[in-house]
Amino acid sequence: MTRSFTALAATLALAATGLAGAPPASADPSPGASASPTSINPGGTSTVTLTLQGETSVQSTPTDLVLVLDESGSISPADFTTLKTFANSVVNAVAADGLFTQGGRVGVVGFASGQETIIGLSSNQGDVNTAITNNPQSTGTTCISCGLNQAASILPDTAGRNQVVIVITDGNANGGDPTLAAATALQSEAEVFAVGVGSGINQATLNTIASEPDATHTFPVADFASLAAILQQLVAAVNVPGATNPQIVVTVANGWDYVAGTAAATLGAAVSGETLAGFTVKRANLGDELLTITYDVVHEGTPCGSLPVNQSVTYTDDEGATVNFPAVNVYVNCAPVADAGPDVSVAEGSTVALDGSGSSDTEGPLAAYAWSGAAPAIGSITNANSAIATYNGLDDGVDAVTLEVTDAGGLTDSDSTDVTVTNVAPSLTLTSCPVAPNQVGTDVSFAGTFTDPGVNDTHTMTVDWGDGAVSPATAATSPVGGTHQYTSAGIFDIAVTVTDDDGGSDTETCGFVVVFDPDGGFVTGGGWITSPAGAYPADPDASGRANIGFVSKYKKGATVPTGSTEFQFQAGNLNFHSSTYQWLVVAGTKAQYKGTGTVNGASGYSFMLTATDGSPDKLRMKIWKTSDSTIVYDNQIGSGDTANPTTALSGGQIVIHKG
């Protein structure tokens, strides 16, 4: 026998009578699974959706349906038209449920005094509808067995197909009609439903025609106009659910927890057995319906990446269906790793790179970088939103800066590094120093500027005037300057020092400052020295006797000395003669003066003579080109201009005359 369309209870009832074999397995429900969102951060929640599309019997197994229509004369022409309309409605309804598309067929037979095949089993819905519509009423008596036997005759004896018969009649059978025998034979092949119209047929006849149980296989209606009201109920009885007692057990995977109370199922399915590990969904049956189950899971583990949400989703039903739900994976965003790079050092006023390029994220490029934490008193950061930022050192100190990185999922991580800003000493430039000789008792001034890359530094200035007087440290800002009066003649060096508040300093000097006293005396001398090798750069090996004669003094009231100086170095064929004097300084036993002159008759030369009156008398003669300071002669070459002479007179005398 072919598969019964009843639910399990009806199948068992038929089996008990010995009329039913094991029904063919129904088609397995079609599963689906998804999650939203499909990407979350650790500890986040995702909603999982499971779907299960069921089928009815006509969808799961090819079905042969035979409509048995009463054409007896007790039915008026109008009611017969209504009957045919209803029959077409049944055909259309089972077609909509997939009977034809799943390989099913529909046949139609009629009965009155006899029987006829209106259309044999056909897989063409249009042909069946046309045959019903065009079928004329034969009229006559009511031979129900004729219709039942005709239905049995067109049903094939084929395994694996559902066979269903719907009988529609308005009266009891003719007297002596073998209805029971015909019905019993038909029920051994097919599941039979009986529709009784009006009061001319009793329930006992319907029970005889129909398969058991009677309550689900008989449909009495008051009149033909009432047939339309039972269409849905009748078709539902024919198209029984393909799954009985379906059950879905959801068990979430390790690293996830089911969120209690979030499971919901459509179609009135019941949710039970909720734990952190999962839950169960049950329903009495599932036909041509979509069962949807939703529930929330929360990520509780440490792993990240693409993780399966369900450990298992197990389906069972009374038909033994096999259903495998698709795996559902949710991507758990892995936290990024910030790397602010090694500690660095930078000088005030300079920059250093803050290198965060070692930061990483396993999912791909980082979405954002953010450097922060620079102390305004120490430094500042530019390009703070880049992997490699720039730190600007402002003042010495140690600054802790922080890098925060953000990945595409919004997760962050941070790392810190220390920046040591080192002090840079100020840089002093003397823009104005005394050049001309200065008379004792007059103002001698200097001026200068300084810079310091430490923009937050403060500064002081001290001045050593060279005569023993030192101006104490005072607060200073650029430009700087100072004035001093010397009380005695001499050649002095002004040393200016600017110091920042971190101890860095810079000292610059003015060279030498000539201070003369026109009333302080004069100097005379004559004789010769032994010129050392190297004193004459034009011939470094030249040495020997060099003659000298000079006088330098201030005339009364004059501020420029007068006199004459002549120097001859025969080994170098050098003959110098003074032209003018610029200044004279007499200080104790030392005299020094400066002027211009000629070398071998050519002008454009300057000279400086330094002499000491002692035992022995000593002399230094320095001659250079005025235009470029190229040394022509210097018997103490390499020494500073204020150094005491070291070459003694080999003959002659130097006398410093007091004023």
Side-chain angles (χ1 to χ4, degrees):
M1 175 172 176
T2 57
R3 177 189 183 278
S4 173
F5 267 71
T6 59
L8 180 61
T11 303
L12 293 175
L14 285 174
T17 66
L19 299 177
S26 63
D28 298 337
S30 301
S34 62
S36 179
T38 56
S39 179
I40 62 173
N41 288 333
T45 299
S46 183
T47 298
V48 182
T49 300
L50 304 179
T51 59
L52 195 64
Q53 177 63 59
E55 294 185 349
T56 65
S57 55
V58 299
Q59 294 172 297
S60 59
T61 305
T63 299
D64 291 330
L65 170 63
V66 177
L67 299 180
V68 180
L69 306 181
D70 189 346
E71 298 182 357
S72 64
S74 61
I75 303 173
S76 70
D79 287 339
F80 188 69
T81 299
T82 301
L83 172 59
K84 292 194 293 183
T85 300
F86 178 70
N88 273 326
S89 297
V90 172
V91 173
N92 294 339
V94 295
D97 283 337
L99 182 142
F100 290 106
T101 58
Q102 297 300 321
R105 297 171 295 182
V106 175
V108 184
V109 300
F111 69 92
S113 300
Q115 66 278 342
E116 66 171 329
T117 298
I118 299 171
I119 185 170
L121 290 174
S122 173
S123 59
N124 188 306
Q125 178 188 355
D127 289 348
V128 175
N129 289 140
T130 299
I132 293 172
T133 301
N134 294 336
N135 177 49
Q137 183 179 6
S138 60
T139 69
T141 60
T142 306
C143 180
I144 295 177
S145 63
C146 296
L148 300 180
N149 291 331
Q150 189 67 14
S153 71
I154 69 171
L155 285 172
D157 185 12
T158 303
R161 296 182 71 87
N162 295 320
Q163 294 190 346
V164 182
V165 175
I166 299 175
V167 180
I168 307 174
T169 180
D170 75 336
N172 294 319
N174 300 327
D177 184 73
T179 303
L180 176 59
T184 301
L186 181 60
Q187 291 167 20
S188 68
E189 297 183 53
E191 184 172 11
V192 183
F193 296 86
V195 179
V197 183
S199 59
I201 183 169
N202 56 44
Q203 184 64 40
T205 300
L206 295 178
N207 293 345
T208 298
I209 297 171
S211 300
E212 294 181 350
D214 298 333
T216 58
H217 288 74
T218 60
F219 297 87
V221 295
D223 50 40
F224 283 96
S226 300
L227 286 173
I230 67 166
L231 175 64
Q232 184 175 355
Q233 182 182 2
L234 177 62
V235 172
V238 172
N239 296 343
V240 296
T244 305
N245 295 323
Q247 175 176 285
I248 300 98
V249 179
V250 176
T251 304
V252 299
N254 291 334
W256 299 91
D257 281 345
Y258 162 67
V259 180
T262 60
T266 60
L267 305 179
V271 176
S272 62
E274 292 180 281
T275 69
L276 289 177
F279 57 92
T280 298
V281 175
K282 297 180 180 179
R283 192 168 190 262
N285 51 60
L286 186 64
D288 185 11
E289 300 162 302
L290 179 65
L291 175 62
T292 301
I293 303 168
T294 59
Y295 57 97
D296 291 348
V297 291
V298 59
H299 178 253
E300 293 290 353
T302 56
C304 57
S306 182
L307 304 178
V309 171
N310 297 320
Q311 177 177 313
S312 63
V313 180
T314 304
Y315 173 88
T316 58
D317 64 19
D318 292 346
E319 284 69 42
T322 299
V323 174
N324 295 312
F325 282 87
V328 177
N329 280 33
V330 172
Y331 196 94
V332 179
N333 186 19
C334 298
V337 177
D339 183 355
D343 295 342
V344 294
S345 180
V346 62
E348 287 177 337
S350 297
T351 62
V352 67
L354 299 174
D355 190 352
S357 60
S359 303
S360 61
D361 184 52
T362 57
E363 285 88 4
L366 289 164
Y369 297 82
W371 294 89
S372 64
I378 300 176
S380 65
I381 300 173
T382 53
N383 300 321
N385 294 325
S386 300
I388 300 178
T390 300
Y391 184 93
N392 310 286
L394 301 178
D395 200 0
D396 63 304
V398 178
D399 208 357
V401 297
T402 298
L403 170 64
E404 181 180 82
V405 296
T406 304
D407 68 12
L411 293 183
T412 63
D413 188 39
S414 61
D415 186 35
S416 296
T417 187
D418 287 340
V419 181
T420 300
V421 181
T422 58
N423 185 56
V424 177
S427 177
L428 173 65
T429 300
L430 295 179
T431 57
S432 175
C433 282
V435 177
N438 297 271
Q439 188 172 330
V440 295
T442 60
D443 288 342
V444 177
S445 301
F446 74 89
T449 60
F450 69 87
T451 58
D452 192 335
V455 295
N456 295 327
D457 285 350
T458 59
H459 302 83
T460 59
M461 181 184 70
T462 59
V463 183
D464 184 345
W465 296 96
D467 60 350
V470 177
S471 299
T474 57
T477 57
S478 183
V480 294
T483 300
H484 179 66
Q485 289 189 353
Y486 291 91
T487 59
S488 61
I491 298 176
F492 308 102
D493 193 2
I494 302 174
V496 183
T497 301
V498 174
T499 305
D500 65 22
D501 57 342
D502 301 310
S505 64
D506 187 21
T507 299
E508 299 295 332
T509 62
C510 278
F512 59 85
V513 178
V514 177
V515 178
F516 68 92
D517 183 355
D519 299 323
F522 63 97
V523 61
T524 59
W528 60 277
I529 62 172
T530 299
S531 179
Y536 183 52
D539 186 359
D541 295 329
S543 62
R545 180 170 178 147
N547 298 317
I548 184 72
F550 59 89
V551 59
S552 180
K553 64 181 297 184
Y554 285 98
K555 291 183 178 181
K556 186 175 182 178
T559 57
V560 177
T562 58
S564 177
T565 299
E566 188 167 349
F567 178 79
Q568 294 178 342
F569 177 41
Q570 296 176 351
N573 192 28
L574 172 66
N575 188 352
F576 175 81
H577 187 76
S578 65
S579 300
T580 62
Y581 285 176
Q582 296 171 340
W583 50 265
L584 165 66
V585 173
V586 178
T589 60
K590 180 180 178 180
Q592 188 174 41
Y593 63 93
K594 179 184 177 184
T596 62
T598 61
V599 172
N600 298 334
S603 60
Y605 296 87
S606 297
F607 79 100
M608 182 181 293
L609 186 148
T610 307
T612 56
D613 183 354
S615 297
D617 296 339
K618 296 179 181 180
L619 175 81
R620 178 186 182 184
M621 184 64 174
K622 179 180 178 180
I623 305 169
W624 67 92
K625 287 184 179 181
T626 305
S627 61
D628 59 12
S629 300
T630 300
I631 299 298
V632 175
Y633 180 88
D634 187 352
N635 62 304
Q636 202 167 319
I637 197 165
S639 297
D641 289 346
T642 59
N644 291 326
T646 58
T647 304
L649 288 183
S650 298
Q653 184 180 29
I654 295 173
V655 179
I656 294 178
H657 304 270
K658 304 300 180 181

